Each structure stands twice: as structure tokens, then as C-alpha cells.
Amino acid sequence: MTKPHPLNHTREQITALDNELLALLAKRRSLSLDVARSKEVDIRPIRDTQREKELLARLVKQGREQGLDAHYVLSLYQSIIEDSVLNQQAYLQGRANPDLQKQQYNIAYLGARGSYSYLAATRYCERRQVGMQDLGCKSFDEIVQAVESGHADYGFLPIENTSSGSINEVYDVLQHTSLAIVGETTIEVGHCLLAKPGTQVKQIKTIYAHPQPISQCSRYLSQHGEFKLEYCSSSAEAMERVLEADDNSVAAIGSVEGGALYQLEAIERELANQKINQSRFIVVARKAIAVPEQLPAKTTLIMATGQKPGALVEALLILKAHDLNMSKLESRPIPGTPWEEMFYLDLDANLASDQMQQALKELERITRFIKVLGCYPCETVNPTQLSNSQLMIEPTTSREADQQAKEKQDAKHLRHSLAEHPQITSVVTRQLQIGDGQFGAMAQLSLTQEPGHYSQLAKQIKEAGFQAVIVSELNANPMANRQLSEMRRALSQFDLACIVAIEHESELPLAVDHADMLQISGKQMHNRDLLEQVGALHMPVILERNTMASLDEWLGGAETILAAGNQQVILSEAGIRTFNEQQRPTLDLSGLISLKEKSHLPVIINTRYACQQDELASQASAARALKADGLVLGLSDPQQLNAHSDILARLYRD
């Protein structure tokens, strides 16, 4: 009798364990619904973050005792908790709207089976354990019409992507529909090059794709100039055209799951510019829904403020007064009214709450037009985090030092405080003036240009309306010393201030030699040694906010610089994480208002990381209206200068 191979036996054991794990996960999910039923009776919040932290800390400790890495255990249970939260939310949402419950829904989405919209709709229905009768549509207007006419119960509309930003066509459609937003869902977008089985990349001549994936995969496509791009109305249409082609010279950009429906295989994967690429969809229906008070909710509204100075900031101050967090602000032009814009706002609040109702009444008095598009459960589940000490990777001496520093800090007056220093700080370097009523404009670029072009580039930057240039990404450039010297010389010819961004502590000596001003990147905001070093310099310093830092942590970093002696400190808001930890950051404009109330330090807005090109004008206008002291615009291509010049001209004119 032949003995079983040891490897086969091991694999059989692993398979048996996997089956047990799946059964246990299913049982855990079932128990989480029992928890939801209990919360329905007691009207308790879905999440208890303190209990989650205690649970995670205990599991991490037990995992380490069994040889499991702390981060592995943490990541695994964060996913399990996210699944539990979303399932409890779906259950309670259904219980609160029994008249809307069916065994099967007609769903309108963009494209055909296999499109990303189809995948989003499928996962949304699977979460709620209901059937789906799908209705593919050729346009966003057709989706809306299908729901308005009653042919579909729900419509799925992509609203934003972490790589390519907001989808303006959808915002424009929402201006003119009576439908209500009743839900949202987010899916991972894994762009692949899909072709017929056996096809090789070198055979491909034509790529079919929707414009959004083409934008999101621009870096990959730029490396293949031989590809001819053909635009399609959806990813499903692109895959269908490949399936119907007579040869193997064509491919589509789409998902692995979608490609499988068209007998296509992925011959290249991970095409997107960003490693983490997600799309958020909103769900629209004819009738609004009620959101139970224990669920985290979003309210989306649109408003027109009119053209009087300070109109937008007046509206945002109402939200702040009622402690309403604005997670998204988008603007779109109003057809037929030049230079007027409609603002779209996502607020982290339940429409039925007293704060939201009072804020709406006040907004109605000061806005020209306002309309609530919907209130719905928020499906962004921010993972509960543990501190380094809870992960047991932080030395005890470090914790003691931090505690001593905190106690020392609490024992003295805060130098950044407006109460301690009533006079607003002003920083002047060459023609750049920031703070105390002065507004400065800075262009940020990577140190990759050839030195021979620096003078011409500096002239163009000056003519566009900028007073300074922020030079970044020194560490990746072996010629940084020579090129930085040439750049400083060219900028000096046009009296432009040279600001050098420090992304690594080792870059400080080089930066000091060539800069008029320094910028500490958000990644180094917690580097106390570096902050103390720049605090000892007689040179203005811009402190950029870390994407995960609170306002108090950010001001704490500024306090370290001020305490070391340097009083020429500028704060730079470059965006915080709101979608998930890897998403393109979002400008915290409400935080700008809070900073102005707390601190005398000037605050500038850096749009380079947080804004797409079509968002720059509206975000710049909002920042100026909220009394920002300066603006940073990214410059990856000199051709952007014309658009930047128009933005600056409008800001200074207003």
C-alpha cells in the first residue's frame, strides 16, 4: 500500500483547518446579529470603540503568546470587526424601514455585467442577503431615469475614486433629480489588462476602457506609447469588445471578476497609479429612508450661497457652531449663471438629529438655495487602532520620556496660543508675505528639472503670480546639491523665495545651505529631534500636518519649534485621511477655522496631495474665504502654470 506523501497530508490538514475557520467565522457573524438585535431594543450605538480596543489588546497579547505577530492579529481582527459592524448596520437599517424590504430588488447600474458598478451592486445586495435583478444602463442619466420611472428600485452611481477623485458628471446629475440618496458602498478597484486566453502583452495594439480607468492607470499607459486607446461607456463594454474581436491584438482594462464573465484572463495586474484604489458608490431611490439613531449616518446636501464676500465661510461657521463635521466639500458650476457654483456637502450627522435640524434652519436663512439629497448609513468603518505600548513594541523608557515631556508641557504656557500671544504672526521672506492679512502663493515641484531650464521656469512661475517655490524630493536625487544651488540662483533672479522641503532628517544640512525657508514634511511632524534642530535656526519654518495627526498634535509640534527659540513658524494643512488609511487625503477646512481661533500662527493650504486639477479652483476659493494665509499649488508640468495663473488671479481679485 502506497504511503501518502507528507506534503499532501499537510495540505489536507490545512484544508480541514480552513473549513473549520470558515465555519467559525460564519458562526461569529451570526452571533454579531444577535448583538444587533439586543442593540435594537436598548438603542445603543453600533460601535463601542473602548470595548474594541480592549478586545484587540487582549487578542494581540494572546497571539504573541502563541508566536503570532501583533500586526498580523490586529489586521485580521480589524477586518472581522468591520464585517461585523456592516452586517449589524444592514440588519438595523432593514428593521427601521420594513416597508422597503423585498426578497429581490431591481438594480440599475452603469454598463453590463462585469462592470465595477455591477460588482458594487452585487456586493451591496449580498451584504443584505437579497436577490438582485440587474438592469445595465448606458449613462448616469439613464440610471436616474430608470429609478425615477419605477423600472428600478435602486440606482448605483460612482461618486469618487481614491485615485482620480470626484466624478463630476454624477454631481451634475444630482442637481436635477428628485431621487434620494439611501446608501453608499465602497469596493476595491483592481485594474488589470484583460485579454483572450493565451494572449501576450507584446501582441496588444489597442486598449478598450472607460475614461475613469484610463485616468487611474495613466502611469502604466504612458509606459506603453504603442497602445491605441479606445474609450468605452463602461468597463463591461470594453470587455465585450475584446470578446467579440477577431484576433488577440486587443485588451480591456477591468477587474479579474469582470473578466471571468467574458472568458478573459488578466495578463497584467495592478495597473493603477496608486496601490490602494477604491471607488465609492452612492445608492439612490425614489423614497428617502429613516436611519436609526444608533447607526453612524451621513447627510448629503447641496446649496448655493450667492456671490457676496464670505458667504461660504458664513455657512461653514454654522456647521461648526452646531459641532457638525463636514467630511466632503465639492463645488460645481451652475448652468446659465457664470462664476456661480453649487456646493455639495457630506456631513457626518443624522438628518433627524436636533443639531442637524437647527443647522438647516439657519442655513436656509443665509443661502440662496439648499436641498437635502439624502440621509443614509455611513459604511466607512474606521479601524480601531492600538498604541505602540498596547502592541508591546514601544520601549518603556520611551513612554516614560513622553509622559515627562507632556507633564512639562502642561506646566507652562503654550507659545502658539492666541491667548498667550494676541498679535498675529507675520512671516516675510523676499516678496513672500504670509500672515496678519497677507496672502502668499507658492508653487511646489520636485527637483527633477534640468538646471539649464531653471531660469525660464522661474520666470514663468513669477509671471503666473507666485512669490515662492517649494522644492521637494531631494533624497531621491543624487545631484541634489548642484541642482538645488542652480535652482536657488534662478529663483533669486526673480526675487522668488526658495523653500526646501525636508522629508528625511539627513536632508537638513543641505536644505539649510540653500533655502530661504524650510518645510518639515508631515511624515517628520513627530520627529522631536528634527523639530528642535530647526527651532534653533534663524530661518522661517513651515510645519506640514501629518495626515493622521489631530489639531492638538500638530500644534504640539509647532510648540516644540517655538520652545527651541524659532518664532517664525507657519502651519501647512495638506490633508488628512478620511476614506481609509491609504486614501488620497482630504483638506480639513473646518480645522482651519479652529486653528484661527486657537493660534496666532499663520496657516497655509497645500493642495498638492489632496486635490485633483479640476478641484483646485473651488478648494482655493474656500481656503481664501476661510482666512487661510497662503496657498500651495503643485507643479508637475509647466503647462499647469496657465491654469494656476487663472486661479491666483481670481483669488487676488476677490
Side-chain angles (χ1 to χ4, degrees):
M1 185 175 182
T2 305
K3 294 179 64 178
H5 194 282
L7 177 58
N8 291 337
H9 179 63
T10 302
R11 285 174 172 168
E12 289 173 359
Q13 289 180 305
I14 291 174
T15 299
L17 280 174
D18 287 339
N19 292 336
E20 291 179 33
L21 285 172
L22 289 173
L24 289 172
L25 287 172
K27 185 176 181 179
R28 193 187 194 283
R29 175 185 273 192
S30 177
L31 289 173
S32 75
L33 291 181
D34 289 340
V35 173
R37 294 182 184 98
S38 173
K39 291 176 179 177
E40 181 184 11
V41 175
D42 299 343
I43 315 181
R44 283 178 292 155
I46 280 290
R47 300 191 71 179
D48 182 344
T49 53
Q50 182 58 40
R51 184 186 179 282
E52 288 179 17
K53 286 184 178 181
E54 294 171 356
L55 170 68
L56 291 172
R58 175 174 59 79
L59 291 169
V60 163
K61 183 174 184 298
Q62 291 177 338
R64 288 179 68 89
E65 291 171 355
Q66 299 184 56
L68 296 175
D69 177 74
H71 291 286
Y72 168 69
V73 175
L74 180 64
S75 176
L76 176 64
Y77 274 91
Q78 282 174 338
S79 296
I80 291 173
I81 289 172
E82 177 183 11
D83 177 77
S84 175
V85 168
L86 291 177
N87 276 291
Q88 289 185 48
Q89 287 187 188
Y91 169 80
L92 291 176
Q93 184 61 45
R95 296 283 292 175
N97 298 271
D99 57 319
L100 300 178
Q101 300 308 299
K102 296 182 179 181
Q103 293 299 312
Q104 179 170 283
Y105 291 94
N106 294 329
I107 307 291
Y109 58 89
L110 186 66
R113 294 189 176 187
S115 68
Y116 287 110
S117 295
Y118 169 81
L119 297 177
T122 300
R123 293 176 192 178
Y124 185 86
C125 290
E126 286 176 349
R127 172 76 64 188
R128 286 147 185 83
Q129 297 183 350
V130 296
M132 182 179 99
Q133 182 66 41
D134 54 290
L135 176 62
C137 299
K138 296 180 180 179
S139 67
F140 298 136
D141 283 324
E142 190 175 324
I143 294 172
V144 169
Q145 290 168 8
V147 181
E148 288 177 338
S149 65
H151 287 98
D153 298 303
Y154 294 125
F156 276 71
L157 297 168
I159 197 72
E160 63 180 325
N161 176 268
T162 55
S163 176
S164 57
S166 299
I167 301 173
N168 293 327
E169 293 175 73
V170 175
Y171 281 105
D172 293 340
V173 167
L174 292 175
Q175 282 191 32
H176 310 293
T177 181
S178 60
L179 299 179
I181 302 176
V182 297
E184 66 173 2
T185 190
T186 301
I187 66 168
E188 296 287 339
V189 177
H191 289 314
C192 301
L193 195 63
L194 303 171
K196 293 180 178 179
T199 303
Q200 297 182 352
V201 175
K202 62 184 179 181
Q203 296 176 265
I204 303 301
K205 296 179 181 178
T206 302
I207 301 289
Y208 296 114
H210 184 269
Q212 284 291 325
I214 288 176
S215 171
Q216 295 160 21
C217 303
S218 59
R219 191 172 302 154
Y220 171 82
L221 295 173
S222 68
Q223 297 170 358
H224 292 275
E226 72 276 13
F227 290 164
K228 177 185 176 184
L229 300 179
E230 292 282 351
Y231 290 88
C232 299
S233 61
S234 69
S235 298
E237 182 195 340
M239 293 183 283
E240 188 173 5
R241 293 178 70 173
V242 174
L243 178 64
E244 294 174 348
D246 295 330
D247 55 34
N248 289 7
S249 67
V250 297
I253 297 178
S255 67
V256 172
E257 301 100 312
L261 295 175
Y262 292 86
Q263 296 84 52
L264 304 179
E265 64 180 24
I267 59 174
E268 290 274 291
R269 296 173 182 257
E270 298 183 359
L271 307 187
N273 299 341
Q274 296 184 7
K275 184 176 180 180
I276 301 300
N277 189 19
Q278 296 178 320
S279 284
R280 174 179 168 238
F281 292 77
I282 55 173
V283 187
V284 294
R286 292 184 297 282
K287 183 180 178 181
I289 59 170
V291 181
E293 61 182 276
Q294 64 262 55
L295 299 192
K298 276 185 185 177
T299 296
T300 298
L301 56 88
I302 55 176
M303 66 182 184
T305 58
Q307 280 293 80
K308 66 176 183 178
L312 177 60
V313 67
E314 188 179 356
L316 297 182
L317 285 171
I318 289 176
L319 301 179
K320 183 178 185 299
H322 292 282
D323 197 27
L324 295 172
N325 182 56
M326 179 181 66
S327 56
K328 188 173 181 61
L329 173 65
E330 193 76 29
S331 68
R332 291 295 295 155
I334 302 175
T337 55
W339 307 113
E340 288 199 41
E341 295 173 330
M342 185 80 72
F343 293 98
Y344 292 79
L345 294 84
D346 282 349
L347 305 176
D348 295 333
N350 195 315
L351 181 61
S353 68
D354 292 338
Q355 301 101 307
M356 192 68 223
Q357 287 297 315
Q358 187 60 39
L360 283 175
K361 290 179 182 178
E362 295 180 27
L363 287 171
E364 286 171 355
R365 289 197 295 267
I366 68 167
T367 56
R368 190 163 56 82
F369 168 81
I370 188 167
K371 175 187 176 184
V372 175
L373 293 179
C375 177
Y376 48 97
C378 173
E379 292 207 1
T380 300
V381 181
N382 293 318
T384 298
Q385 301 290 352
L386 296 181
S387 66
N388 286 340
S389 58
Q390 289 173 307
L391 288 171
M392 293 174 283
I393 60 175
E394 181 182 271
T396 304
T397 54
S398 173
R399 298 199 300 274
E400 292 174 348
D402 286 347
Q403 182 62 28
Q404 292 173 1
K406 184 179 187 302
E407 292 173 355
K408 184 179 178 181
Q409 180 68 35
D410 291 342
K412 63 184 179 182
H413 294 295
L414 298 174
R415 294 169 178 82
H416 67 259
S417 170
L418 192 59
E420 181 71 16
H421 190 291
Q423 184 177 354
I424 302 300
T425 293
S426 174
V427 177
V428 180
T429 302
R430 294 186 182 271
Q431 290 190 342
L432 179 66
Q433 300 181 50
I434 295 176
D436 198 18
Q438 301 297 318
F439 187 84
M442 293 143 277
Q444 182 165 350
L445 52 83
S446 303
L447 192 64
T448 56
Q449 300 279 341
E450 288 298 324
H453 300 298
Y454 286 169
S455 291
Q456 180 184 356
L457 180 61
K459 180 176 184 293
Q460 293 173 327
I461 291 173
K462 176 76 172 183
E463 292 173 347
F466 294 98
Q467 298 93 45
V469 171
I470 301 175
V471 183
S472 58
E473 299 182 22
L474 308 185
N475 196 55
N477 189 345
M479 304 296 293
N481 187 36
R482 181 177 70 87
Q483 292 187 359
L484 197 52
S485 177
E486 292 291 330
M487 175 66 80
R488 170 78 180 277
R489 188 178 299 113
L491 295 177
S492 298
Q493 293 175 357
F494 298 93
D495 206 21
L496 291 167
C498 180
I499 305 171
V500 179
I502 298 173
E503 298 171 2
H504 304 274
E505 188 172 350
S506 60
E507 297 169 353
L508 180 59
L510 176 63
V512 171
D513 287 343
H514 297 289
D516 297 308
M517 184 183 296
L518 303 176
Q519 175 175 288
I520 306 301
S521 76
K523 294 178 181 178
Q524 295 294 329
M525 194 202 84
H526 296 293
N527 187 338
R528 189 177 183 86
D529 290 340
L530 177 60
L531 299 185
E532 290 178 342
Q533 289 181 63
V534 299
L537 300 173
H538 299 289
M539 179 182 291
V541 176
I542 298 173
L543 180 62
E544 187 176 86
R545 181 182 184 181
N546 186 283
T547 56
M548 298 297 290
S550 67
L551 292 180
D552 288 338
E553 290 171 332
W554 187 17
L555 288 171
E559 191 70 24
T560 300
I561 299 174
L562 294 168
N566 192 339
Q567 305 303 301
Q568 295 181 286
V569 178
I570 300 167
L571 301 173
S572 175
E573 166 60 45
I576 57 175
R577 298 293 183 189
T578 55
F579 202 69
N580 61 41
E581 291 187 355
Q582 289 79 27
Q583 184 212 5
R584 180 168 60 91
T586 300
L587 291 177
D588 183 13
L589 296 180
S590 60
L592 173 59
I593 300 173
S594 298
L595 282 177
K596 287 296 183 178
E597 295 177 347
K598 290 182 176 181
S599 176
H600 59 86
L601 299 177
V603 186
I604 63 175
I605 300 296
N606 190 333
T607 63
R608 186 187 189 203
Y609 315 105
C611 300
Q612 298 292 325
Q613 184 65 38
D614 59 355
E615 301 172 321
L616 291 179
S618 60
Q619 296 283 24
S621 296
R624 185 69 191 274
L626 294 172
K627 308 301 181 185
D629 299 291
L631 178 71
V632 180
L633 297 175
L635 186 63
S636 57
D637 187 334
Q639 293 181 355
Q640 293 176 301
L641 282 170
N642 289 334
H644 289 353
S645 178
D646 292 341
I647 292 171
L648 295 180
R650 183 175 176 183
L651 287 180
Y652 287 121
R653 182 173 66 248
D654 294 343

